[in-house]
Amino acid sequence: MRDLILHHYPMSPYAELVRRALGMKGLAWRSVLIPNVAPKPDLTPLTGGYRKTPVLQIGADIYCDTAIIIEAIEALHPSPTLFPAPLGRAGVLLALQAGGATFSQAVGSAMAPFIDRLGSDFVEDRRKLFGMDPDRMAKLAPHLLAQFRAWLAHIDDALADGRAFIGGDAPGYADCAIAMNVWFQGNFGLLEARLAPFTHVAAWYGRVDALGRGTPTDMAGADALDIALAAAPVIAADLAPDSGFALDQPVTVRTEDPGADVVSGRLLRCTDRAISILRDDPRVGTVAVHFPRIGQILAPAA
């Protein structure tokens, strides 16, 4: 089965990025809702411990991180492309920027006034994973908002020439990534206020929003696990000659987040763009877990 199965929760900004990409392509997809904090019992058998959101499942191939998820969607459904000309693959660079410092500024400035409403479980989970400190966030909130507004001002300047989307006439990955930071403001009732000074951004956001989020169908987590168990990974071995690793070598992968969980497996792919490992779990059999190269720490297993 080659259905796109997205493991996500509604308020996740990175999941929103992927949902918008699915909308741009007009795709049907399966929706598995997962908790927004650990533990995630219907996700761990697939990922081996990676617990960030979202995760894309295609049979027994498990894609962790939006960067590799976008590549998987594009490979399986290349038209319409998420990398339209003239921006093309340069859209990846804009997405990296939107998901970097600007993401922290967008999310931090939106959450800071409402941190006491998010629940102690959420705050403690993010403290362990990211080192989130509510007191520090509250003190930094004015600066974070100033930085986010400055970013919106530059986006507004870029759109002032009349282009419909960030890269020109057609929407793409860059629009999805930038839109997630704007969209997140709406989770706290801040969208209208944030966009009021930036009329070009507001008009652009309306165009992006009109593209929708594809056609989701709810799926139970247990059913997704059954699909993985009945499938086999579809991935060829690919090892860069200067990677310093060997095929089938036991390795670990973890994100750069201070509290990230380690995923263990046998190395199948290591290039400048991606990492893939094979791992076995009694609930799902053999699965291939895929990561982008950027943002991951690959090491020999101890």
Short mmCIF file of all heavy atoms in Angstrom, two decimals, residues 57-99:
data_model
loop_
_atom_site.label_atom_id
_atom_site.label_comp_id
_atom_site.label_asym_id
_atom_site.label_seq_id
_atom_site.Cartn_x
_atom_site.Cartn_y
_atom_site.Cartn_z
N GLN A 57 4.29 8.15 6.90
CA GLN A 57 4.45 6.72 6.65
C GLN A 57 3.95 6.38 5.26
O GLN A 57 2.85 6.78 4.86
CB GLN A 57 3.66 5.92 7.70
CG GLN A 57 3.67 4.42 7.47
CD GLN A 57 2.72 3.69 8.41
OE1 GLN A 57 2.18 4.28 9.35
NE2 GLN A 57 2.51 2.41 8.17
N ILE A 58 4.76 5.68 4.51
CA ILE A 58 4.34 5.12 3.23
C ILE A 58 4.68 3.63 3.29
O ILE A 58 5.83 3.24 3.08
CB ILE A 58 5.04 5.79 2.03
CG1 ILE A 58 4.86 7.31 2.07
CG2 ILE A 58 4.50 5.23 0.72
CD1 ILE A 58 5.62 8.05 0.99
N GLY A 59 3.71 2.81 3.63
CA GLY A 59 3.96 1.39 3.82
C GLY A 59 4.90 1.16 4.99
O GLY A 59 4.58 1.49 6.14
N ALA A 60 6.07 0.59 4.72
CA ALA A 60 7.07 0.34 5.76
C ALA A 60 8.21 1.35 5.69
O ALA A 60 9.27 1.12 6.28
CB ALA A 60 7.61 -1.08 5.63
N ASP A 61 8.01 2.45 4.96
CA ASP A 61 8.99 3.53 4.91
C ASP A 61 8.49 4.68 5.78
O ASP A 61 7.37 5.19 5.56
CB ASP A 61 9.21 3.99 3.47
CG ASP A 61 10.01 2.98 2.67
OD1 ASP A 61 11.25 3.00 2.80
OD2 ASP A 61 9.41 2.17 1.95
N ILE A 62 9.31 5.09 6.73
CA ILE A 62 8.92 6.05 7.74
C ILE A 62 9.82 7.28 7.62
O ILE A 62 11.05 7.17 7.72
CB ILE A 62 9.06 5.45 9.16
CG1 ILE A 62 8.46 4.03 9.23
CG2 ILE A 62 8.43 6.37 10.19
CD1 ILE A 62 7.01 3.93 8.83
N TYR A 63 9.20 8.43 7.38
CA TYR A 63 9.95 9.66 7.10
C TYR A 63 9.82 10.61 8.29
O TYR A 63 8.72 11.04 8.64
CB TYR A 63 9.44 10.31 5.82
CG TYR A 63 9.64 9.43 4.61
CD1 TYR A 63 8.69 8.49 4.24
CD2 TYR A 63 10.81 9.52 3.86
CE1 TYR A 63 8.89 7.65 3.13
CE2 TYR A 63 11.01 8.69 2.76
CZ TYR A 63 10.06 7.77 2.40
OH TYR A 63 10.25 6.95 1.32
N CYS A 64 10.97 10.95 8.89
CA CYS A 64 11.02 11.78 10.08
C CYS A 64 11.62 13.13 9.73
O CYS A 64 12.76 13.19 9.23
CB CYS A 64 11.85 11.10 11.16
SG CYS A 64 11.25 9.47 11.68
N ASP A 65 10.89 14.20 9.98
CA ASP A 65 11.29 15.59 9.69
C ASP A 65 10.64 16.04 8.38
O ASP A 65 10.62 15.31 7.39
CB ASP A 65 12.81 15.75 9.61
CG ASP A 65 13.23 17.21 9.58
OD1 ASP A 65 13.08 17.85 8.52
OD2 ASP A 65 13.68 17.72 10.61
N THR A 66 10.15 17.26 8.41
CA THR A 66 9.43 17.78 7.25
C THR A 66 10.30 17.83 6.00
O THR A 66 9.80 17.65 4.88
CB THR A 66 8.88 19.19 7.52
OG1 THR A 66 9.94 20.03 7.99
CG2 THR A 66 7.79 19.15 8.56
N ALA A 67 11.60 18.08 6.15
CA ALA A 67 12.47 18.19 4.97
C ALA A 67 12.47 16.90 4.16
O ALA A 67 12.36 16.92 2.93
CB ALA A 67 13.89 18.56 5.39
N ILE A 68 12.58 15.76 4.82
CA ILE A 68 12.58 14.48 4.10
C ILE A 68 11.16 14.08 3.70
O ILE A 68 10.95 13.40 2.69
CB ILE A 68 13.27 13.38 4.94
CG1 ILE A 68 13.72 12.20 4.06
CG2 ILE A 68 12.39 12.89 6.07
CD1 ILE A 68 14.93 12.48 3.25
N ILE A 69 10.17 14.51 4.47
CA ILE A 69 8.78 14.25 4.11
C ILE A 69 8.43 14.93 2.79
O ILE A 69 7.80 14.34 1.91
CB ILE A 69 7.83 14.72 5.23
CG1 ILE A 69 7.96 13.80 6.46
CG2 ILE A 69 6.38 14.76 4.75
CD1 ILE A 69 7.20 14.29 7.68
N ILE A 70 8.85 16.17 2.65
CA ILE A 70 8.58 16.91 1.40
C ILE A 70 9.22 16.18 0.22
O ILE A 70 8.61 16.05 -0.86
CB ILE A 70 9.10 18.35 1.51
CG1 ILE A 70 8.24 19.16 2.49
CG2 ILE A 70 9.16 19.02 0.14
CD1 ILE A 70 6.81 19.37 2.04
N GLU A 71 10.43 15.69 0.40
CA GLU A 71 11.10 14.98 -0.69
C GLU A 71 10.35 13.70 -1.04
O GLU A 71 10.24 13.33 -2.22
CB GLU A 71 12.55 14.66 -0.30
CG GLU A 71 13.42 15.88 -0.06
CD GLU A 71 13.66 16.70 -1.33
OE1 GLU A 71 13.37 16.22 -2.45
OE2 GLU A 71 14.13 17.84 -1.19
N ALA A 72 9.84 13.00 -0.05
CA ALA A 72 9.10 11.75 -0.30
C ALA A 72 7.81 12.03 -1.06
O ALA A 72 7.46 11.30 -2.01
CB ALA A 72 8.81 11.05 1.02
N ILE A 73 7.09 13.07 -0.66
CA ILE A 73 5.85 13.42 -1.34
C ILE A 73 6.15 13.83 -2.79
O ILE A 73 5.44 13.42 -3.72
CB ILE A 73 5.13 14.55 -0.59
CG1 ILE A 73 4.65 14.06 0.78
CG2 ILE A 73 3.95 15.08 -1.40
CD1 ILE A 73 4.13 15.16 1.68
N GLU A 74 7.17 14.62 -2.97
CA GLU A 74 7.53 15.09 -4.31
C GLU A 74 7.93 13.92 -5.21
O GLU A 74 7.58 13.89 -6.40
CB GLU A 74 8.69 16.10 -4.21
CG GLU A 74 9.13 16.68 -5.53
CD GLU A 74 8.20 17.75 -6.09
OE1 GLU A 74 7.21 18.09 -5.42
OE2 GLU A 74 8.48 18.25 -7.20
N ALA A 75 8.66 12.95 -4.66
CA ALA A 75 9.09 11.80 -5.46
C ALA A 75 7.91 10.93 -5.88
O ALA A 75 7.86 10.42 -7.01
CB ALA A 75 10.11 10.98 -4.68
N LEU A 76 6.96 10.76 -4.98
CA LEU A 76 5.82 9.89 -5.26
C LEU A 76 4.78 10.59 -6.13
O LEU A 76 4.11 9.95 -6.95
CB LEU A 76 5.20 9.43 -3.94
CG LEU A 76 4.22 8.24 -4.01
CD1 LEU A 76 4.92 7.00 -4.57
CD2 LEU A 76 3.65 7.95 -2.63
N HIS A 77 4.65 11.91 -5.95
CA HIS A 77 3.65 12.70 -6.70
C HIS A 77 4.34 13.95 -7.23
O HIS A 77 4.19 15.05 -6.66
CB HIS A 77 2.47 13.06 -5.79
CG HIS A 77 1.73 11.88 -5.25
ND1 HIS A 77 0.78 11.19 -5.97
CD2 HIS A 77 1.81 11.25 -4.03
CE1 HIS A 77 0.29 10.21 -5.24
NE2 HIS A 77 0.91 10.21 -4.07
N PRO A 78 5.08 13.84 -8.32
CA PRO A 78 5.92 14.96 -8.77
C PRO A 78 5.17 16.15 -9.38
O PRO A 78 5.77 17.21 -9.53
CB PRO A 78 6.83 14.31 -9.82
CG PRO A 78 6.09 13.09 -10.27
CD PRO A 78 5.32 12.61 -9.09
N SER A 79 3.91 15.98 -9.70
CA SER A 79 3.18 17.07 -10.34
C SER A 79 1.88 17.37 -9.59
O SER A 79 1.15 16.43 -9.24
CB SER A 79 2.86 16.71 -11.80
OG SER A 79 2.20 17.76 -12.46
N PRO A 80 1.61 18.66 -9.32
CA PRO A 80 2.45 19.82 -9.57
C PRO A 80 3.63 19.87 -8.59
O PRO A 80 3.49 19.47 -7.43
CB PRO A 80 1.50 21.00 -9.35
CG PRO A 80 0.50 20.48 -8.36
CD PRO A 80 0.31 19.03 -8.70
N THR A 81 4.75 20.36 -9.05
CA THR A 81 5.95 20.34 -8.23
C THR A 81 5.87 21.32 -7.07
O THR A 81 5.24 22.37 -7.17
CB THR A 81 7.18 20.65 -9.09
OG1 THR A 81 8.35 20.58 -8.25
CG2 THR A 81 7.09 22.02 -9.73
N LEU A 82 6.55 20.97 -5.99
CA LEU A 82 6.72 21.88 -4.86
C LEU A 82 7.94 22.78 -5.05
O LEU A 82 8.26 23.58 -4.17
CB LEU A 82 6.85 21.08 -3.56
CG LEU A 82 5.57 20.35 -3.11
CD1 LEU A 82 5.87 19.41 -1.96
CD2 LEU A 82 4.47 21.33 -2.75
N PHE A 83 8.59 22.64 -6.20
CA PHE A 83 9.78 23.44 -6.49
C PHE A 83 9.64 24.11 -7.86
O PHE A 83 10.44 23.89 -8.77
CB PHE A 83 11.03 22.55 -6.46
CG PHE A 83 11.18 21.81 -5.16
CD1 PHE A 83 10.78 20.48 -5.05
CD2 PHE A 83 11.70 22.44 -4.05
CE1 PHE A 83 10.91 19.79 -3.86
CE2 PHE A 83 11.83 21.75 -2.83
CZ PHE A 83 11.43 20.43 -2.74
N PRO A 84 8.60 24.93 -8.05
CA PRO A 84 8.36 25.53 -9.37
C PRO A 84 9.43 26.56 -9.73
O PRO A 84 10.02 27.21 -8.86
CB PRO A 84 6.99 26.18 -9.20
CG PRO A 84 6.92 26.52 -7.74
CD PRO A 84 7.62 25.39 -7.04
N ALA A 85 9.66 26.69 -11.03
CA ALA A 85 10.55 27.73 -11.54
C ALA A 85 9.87 29.10 -11.35
O ALA A 85 8.64 29.19 -11.31
CB ALA A 85 10.85 27.47 -13.01
N PRO A 86 10.63 30.16 -11.20
CA PRO A 86 12.09 30.21 -11.30
C PRO A 86 12.82 29.94 -9.99
O PRO A 86 14.03 29.78 -9.99
CB PRO A 86 12.34 31.65 -11.75
CG PRO A 86 11.23 32.42 -11.10
CD PRO A 86 10.03 31.51 -11.15
N LEU A 87 12.11 29.88 -8.88
CA LEU A 87 12.79 29.66 -7.59
C LEU A 87 13.40 28.27 -7.53
O LEU A 87 14.54 28.09 -7.08
CB LEU A 87 11.81 29.88 -6.44
CG LEU A 87 12.39 29.84 -5.03
CD1 LEU A 87 13.42 30.94 -4.84
CD2 LEU A 87 11.27 29.98 -3.99
N GLY A 88 12.67 27.27 -7.98
CA GLY A 88 13.17 25.90 -8.00
C GLY A 88 13.65 25.42 -6.64
O GLY A 88 13.01 25.68 -5.62
N ARG A 89 14.79 24.77 -6.62
CA ARG A 89 15.32 24.18 -5.39
C ARG A 89 15.81 25.22 -4.38
O ARG A 89 16.08 24.87 -3.22
CB ARG A 89 16.45 23.21 -5.73
CG ARG A 89 15.94 21.88 -6.26
CD ARG A 89 15.51 20.99 -5.11
NE ARG A 89 14.71 19.85 -5.53
CZ ARG A 89 14.31 18.89 -4.71
NH1 ARG A 89 14.63 18.95 -3.43
NH2 ARG A 89 13.57 17.90 -5.14
N ALA A 90 15.93 26.45 -4.81
CA ALA A 90 16.27 27.50 -3.84
C ALA A 90 15.18 27.64 -2.79
O ALA A 90 15.42 28.19 -1.70
CB ALA A 90 16.49 28.83 -4.56
N GLY A 91 13.99 27.11 -3.08
CA GLY A 91 12.93 27.11 -2.09
C GLY A 91 13.31 26.37 -0.83
O GLY A 91 12.82 26.67 0.27
N VAL A 92 14.19 25.37 -0.95
CA VAL A 92 14.66 24.63 0.23
C VAL A 92 15.38 25.56 1.20
O VAL A 92 15.23 25.46 2.42
CB VAL A 92 15.58 23.47 -0.19
CG1 VAL A 92 16.21 22.80 1.03
CG2 VAL A 92 14.80 22.45 -1.01
N LEU A 93 16.17 26.47 0.66
CA LEU A 93 16.92 27.39 1.51
C LEU A 93 15.99 28.32 2.27
O LEU A 93 16.21 28.61 3.46
CB LEU A 93 17.90 28.20 0.66
CG LEU A 93 18.88 27.38 -0.17
CD1 LEU A 93 19.77 28.29 -1.01
CD2 LEU A 93 19.71 26.47 0.71
N LEU A 94 14.93 28.80 1.62
CA LEU A 94 13.95 29.63 2.31
C LEU A 94 13.21 28.84 3.39
O LEU A 94 12.92 29.36 4.46
CB LEU A 94 12.96 30.21 1.31
CG LEU A 94 13.52 31.26 0.34
CD1 LEU A 94 12.45 31.68 -0.66
CD2 LEU A 94 14.05 32.46 1.09
N ALA A 95 12.92 27.57 3.09
CA ALA A 95 12.25 26.73 4.08
C ALA A 95 13.15 26.48 5.29
O ALA A 95 12.68 26.47 6.44
CB ALA A 95 11.84 25.40 3.44
N LEU A 96 14.44 26.28 5.06
CA LEU A 96 15.37 26.09 6.17
C LEU A 96 15.40 27.33 7.05
O LEU A 96 15.43 27.23 8.29
CB LEU A 96 16.77 25.79 5.64
CG LEU A 96 17.02 24.38 5.12
CD1 LEU A 96 18.36 24.31 4.41
CD2 LEU A 96 16.98 23.36 6.26
N GLN A 97 15.38 28.49 6.44
CA GLN A 97 15.40 29.73 7.22
C GLN A 97 14.10 29.89 8.02
O GLN A 97 14.13 30.22 9.20
CB GLN A 97 15.62 30.92 6.28
CG GLN A 97 15.85 32.25 6.99
CD GLN A 97 14.57 32.93 7.41
OE1 GLN A 97 13.54 32.80 6.75
NE2 GLN A 97 14.60 33.65 8.53
N ALA A 98 12.98 29.63 7.37
CA ALA A 98 11.69 29.76 8.06
C ALA A 98 11.57 28.79 9.21
O ALA A 98 10.91 29.08 10.22
CB ALA A 98 10.55 29.55 7.06
N GLY A 99 12.19 27.62 9.08
CA GLY A 99 12.13 26.62 10.14
C GLY A 99 13.24 26.74 11.16
O GLY A 99 13.31 25.92 12.09
#
